[in-house]
Amino acid sequence: MSDLPKPEELARISHKPPLKGRGWMHTPVEIKEGIACYGSKPKSLETVGMPNPREWSPFDEDWKLPENWKEIILEGLRERLDRFRSLRVFMDICVRCGACSDKCHFFIGGGDPKNMPVLRAELLRSVYRKEFTTAGKIFGEIAGARSMDLKVLREWWSYFFQCTECRRCSLFCPYGIDTAEITIIGRELLNLLGLNTDWISAPVANCYRTGNHLGIQPHAYKDMIDFFVDDIEEITGVKLEPSFNRKGAEILFITPSGDVFADPGTYTCMGYLMLFHYLQDLGLDITWSTYASEGGNFGYFTSHEMAKRLNAKMYAEAKRLGVKWILGGECGHMWRVINQYMDSFNGPPDFLEEPVSPITGTKFENARGTKMVHIAEFTADLIKHGKLNLDPSRNDNLVVTFHDSCNPARAMGIFEEPRYIIRNVCNSFYEMPENTIREQTFCCGSGAGLNAGENMELRMRGGLPRANAVKYVHERYGVNMLACICAIDRAALPPLMEYWVPEVDVTGVHELVGNALILEGEKKRTTNLRGDPLPGMEEEEEEDV
């Protein structure tokens, strides 16, 4: 963060396109520090059998490509045009109306015309026209066509990794073009040449080896949960006994590994543990897995096939343990894959049952196909049926707003459940402006595998629209806590807030639940899950110290 320009400098943005020059096709790309991520390591590619593993850097002139790299790209594009009818439609129907042009957070926060979704898609569409349309072959640049060359390849790599696949642009397209799908195909083609980022390929390899993005071994995963159990006992006086890898349990719980090893997600994980303990006497029979220890799916940022491979572990573990259905934690891309692609990838999981809450009897009909329920749905249903004993005053030090995480929001339609939870566990809640939330929510600026450390300027630029909306409610209502239901958000939003709105912190929704939940037999609680004094308990904490 210390290498970044000051916020007031980064906020000076020009959105005026160049009026003179050679046009976008002839404007060379500049791959520079602070914007680009490091290249993938050969070990990661070798682990999952991906092509062309070697040491390389996007900042070098020589990317160490195979001699026939152009043929590989064009044949890969041909295969995908035949396989995905949607891709061919997206290539043909865009009229360049510009409805999407100012909707991308990277264009808003950076001003680079090639980050307008319509122009980012043109990077691929122009090659499609040249190679696969008669007009493009005859008229060339006049028809918006250009040949595939190294300059184009560098452009692809730069801008397809300046897209978080959040699909905000698609919401405004009058033809329904899903520009995120174009980015996904662009990345698939790049991966045919071994062109990925280390921040994506390493988690993919880790997940393939160990079941989670961080490469955590089963015993270490359990050790971390045990640490949380100890912390909860210190705060509440209640000893929890979570279950691991237990065959015959009714429900398998899977959450992103960031909730186990990265603050502030760890406090969200503590909230899960407290909720499950509370519900045990009411009939909850649930187990964690140390093998399918990852709900997220960085394979989705690589290729459809890799997403399918990594998604399969959750269902394989559910079958091994003999559970009835799966409860999933607060995650983003986990739910994009499950809700939009799972049946095509790995389904239908007919060995599982349609999920029914053992506490309320609610049948989650929306999960009939996937057999997976989002924990926000599950907890909101519990609150609605009066099953939780809550003290929202324990969160009275917080004035909360809610960030609709892109994938659960736009790709899954989870809008009201997290808000309903927050309003029942907190007494102060304010919405950000309407055109920045729900379907129109702005991205954190670091999704789709862009939450590395070396591209921090890009992340701060991409997160500026979200930060501006948070700043608005902070200044108007005194908001000091930004809640979300995505592990990437819980990793990406703290540095974004620190940079743009340092008075605001970040939390998962179930951390707030854990703070408010009254456990049977608990001692007088004086701190929240972070160890900070509860409202009105500041003096008692000082005396204990």
Side-chain angles (χ1 to χ4, degrees):
M1 298 286 282
S2 59
D3 297 333
L4 278 172
K6 300 294 184 185
E8 56 271 20
E9 297 172 9
L10 208 63
R12 297 191 196 112
I13 307 161
S14 172
H15 293 97
K16 294 181 179 180
L19 300 179
K20 297 180 180 180
R22 296 167 291 177
W24 73 266
M25 283 193 186
H26 304 286
T27 302
V29 65
E30 181 183 6
I31 298 175
K32 60 181 182 179
E33 301 279 353
I35 299 296
C37 293
Y38 299 144
S40 51
K41 301 296 183 184
K43 181 180 179 181
S44 299
L45 300 186
E46 290 167 355
T47 297
V48 291
M50 293 181 67
N52 199 25
R54 81 279 183 214
E55 290 287 349
W56 75 288
S57 170
F59 306 108
D60 294 340
E61 284 298 315
D62 183 6
W63 283 6
K64 303 177 183 178
L65 302 172
E67 290 185 6
N68 63 334
W69 71 265
K70 181 177 178 180
E71 288 77 10
I72 293 172
I73 287 285
L74 295 180
E75 182 55 31
L77 180 54
R78 184 189 309 278
E79 290 175 1
R80 284 154 182 78
L81 288 166
D82 292 340
R83 181 181 176 190
F84 301 111
R85 183 173 179 270
S86 58
L87 177 61
R88 190 175 288 273
V89 171
F90 294 160
M91 290 292 97
D92 286 334
I93 66 172
C94 177
V95 295
R96 303 181 223 181
C97 67
C100 68
S101 59
D102 61 344
K103 305 306 186 294
C104 176
H105 44 281
F106 286 116
F107 175 65
I108 296 171
D112 187 337
K114 290 181 183 178
N115 270 328
M116 293 189 293
V118 59
L119 188 43
R120 191 188 296 115
E122 282 293 305
L123 303 181
L124 178 61
R125 193 176 282 120
S126 58
V127 174
Y128 161 76
R129 291 195 185 104
K130 180 66 176 179
E131 300 294 339
F132 298 97
T133 71
T134 302
K137 292 176 180 177
I138 296 174
F139 296 107
E141 193 171 322
I142 296 175
R146 60 177 180 168
S147 298
M148 188 72 205
D149 58 23
L150 285 171
K151 178 180 72 71
V152 172
L153 187 70
R154 293 176 67 88
E155 224 172 26
W156 281 14
W157 193 89
S158 178
Y159 289 100
F160 290 144
F161 288 105
Q162 290 186 60
C163 171
T164 51
E165 303 173 9
C166 79
R167 301 171 73 237
R168 189 173 194 267
C169 53
S170 304
L171 185 70
F172 296 91
C173 176
Y175 293 95
I177 296 172
D178 193 338
T179 309
E181 292 286 343
I182 296 175
T183 291
I184 291 168
I185 295 298
R187 289 190 182 185
E188 282 199 18
L189 297 175
L190 291 168
N191 273 280
L192 296 177
L193 305 179
L195 296 176
N196 204 329
T197 72
D198 183 54
W199 194 252
I200 294 175
S201 59
V204 166
N206 286 337
C207 200
Y208 190 69
R209 286 188 303 106
T210 69
N212 60 74
H213 293 150
L214 300 178
I216 307 164
Q217 297 295 334
H219 63 278
Y221 188 89
K222 182 180 182 301
D223 285 346
M224 281 305 301
I225 300 293
D226 288 341
F227 286 141
F228 299 154
V229 168
D230 291 342
D231 288 344
I232 292 169
E233 184 176 14
E234 184 176 340
I235 293 168
T236 68
V238 177
K239 180 70 173 180
L240 278 56
E241 296 181 356
S243 162
F244 296 94
N245 307 319
R246 180 165 52 86
K247 290 188 175 182
E250 181 180 1
I251 302 168
L252 170 62
F253 179 66
I254 299 178
T255 196
S257 56
D259 283 351
V260 181
F261 273 80
D263 292 345
T266 52
Y267 308 115
T268 300
C269 192
M270 292 168 69
Y272 302 150
L273 289 162
M274 294 170 68
L275 178 65
F276 299 158
H277 174 84
Y278 181 98
L279 296 173
Q280 282 177 355
D281 290 340
L282 299 179
L284 184 71
D285 181 19
I286 194 165
T287 192
W288 298 61
S289 171
T290 59
Y291 299 99
S293 50
E294 179 66 71
N297 195 328
F298 268 53
Y300 183 60
F301 311 141
T302 304
S303 70
H304 288 88
E305 180 59 32
M306 193 61 67
K308 173 182 176 180
R309 289 167 68 180
L310 299 189
N311 191 64
K313 69 182 180 302
M314 296 191 291
Y315 289 94
E317 183 69 345
K319 192 170 188 177
R320 185 183 76 87
L321 296 178
V323 301
K324 292 182 179 180
W325 55 278
I326 305 172
L327 181 65
E330 296 182 13
C331 187
H333 41 85
M334 167 185 182
W335 289 104
R336 173 90 168 270
V337 171
I338 291 296
N339 196 57
Q340 291 192 294
Y341 299 98
M342 201 290 297
D343 278 347
S344 298
F345 283 172
N346 309 109
D350 294 333
F351 60 92
L352 296 173
E353 298 179 8
E354 183 177 346
V356 177
S357 172
I359 314 301
T360 67
T362 296
K363 183 180 290 185
F364 296 99
E365 295 182 356
N366 60 306
R368 184 185 297 114
T370 64
K371 310 301 192 293
M372 286 190 67
V373 174
H374 194 293
I375 195 166
E377 302 173 274
F378 182 72
T379 303
D381 176 65
L382 292 168
I383 295 173
K384 180 180 179 181
H385 286 87
K387 298 298 183 180
L388 301 183
N389 189 8
L390 301 167
D391 179 4
S393 70
R394 290 176 175 173
N395 287 314
D396 276 354
N397 58 320
L398 306 178
V399 183
V400 183
T401 192
F402 180 69
H403 163 68
D404 289 277
S405 303
C406 299
N407 288 316
R410 270 190 289 270
M412 198 178 181
I414 293 187
F415 302 121
E416 300 310 321
E417 292 89 342
R419 289 175 166 84
Y420 181 76
I421 296 170
I422 293 170
R423 287 189 173 102
N424 278 276
V425 300
C426 298
N427 288 318
S428 297
F429 174 74
Y430 295 94
E431 292 278 18
M432 287 180 276
E434 193 63 32
N435 64 340
T436 72
I437 59 174
R438 293 185 170 86
E439 292 95 336
Q440 298 187 46
T441 185
F442 276 115
C443 181
C444 67
S446 300
L450 300 190
N451 56 319
E454 65 268 19
N455 62 335
M456 198 59 79
E457 180 179 335
L458 175 71
R459 291 173 54 184
M460 295 303 103
R461 289 186 181 279
L464 176 57
R466 169 46 75 223
N468 274 340
V470 175
K471 186 175 183 180
Y472 172 81
V473 290
H474 166 69
E475 293 178 346
R476 183 160 187 169
Y477 304 114
V479 163
N480 59 11
M481 185 61 79
L482 176 61
C484 61
I485 54 171
C486 172
I488 293 295
D489 285 334
R490 285 190 288 280
L493 289 172
L496 185 73
M497 292 299 102
E498 180 185 349
Y499 185 78
W500 291 113
V501 200
E503 303 86 357
V504 177
D505 211 337
V506 178
T507 181
V509 168
H510 278 78
E511 176 185 346
L512 303 175
V513 173
N515 285 337
L517 193 61
I518 302 174
L519 301 178
E520 184 177 351
E522 70 176 26
K523 68 179 184 180
K524 183 179 180 180
R525 287 166 65 174
T526 58
T527 71
N528 60 22
L529 296 184
R530 302 190 182 198
D532 299 328
L534 290 176
M537 296 293 178
E538 293 82 2
E539 291 184 4
E540 292 194 30
E541 277 300 294
E542 289 178 5
E543 290 176 3
D544 290 342
V545 173

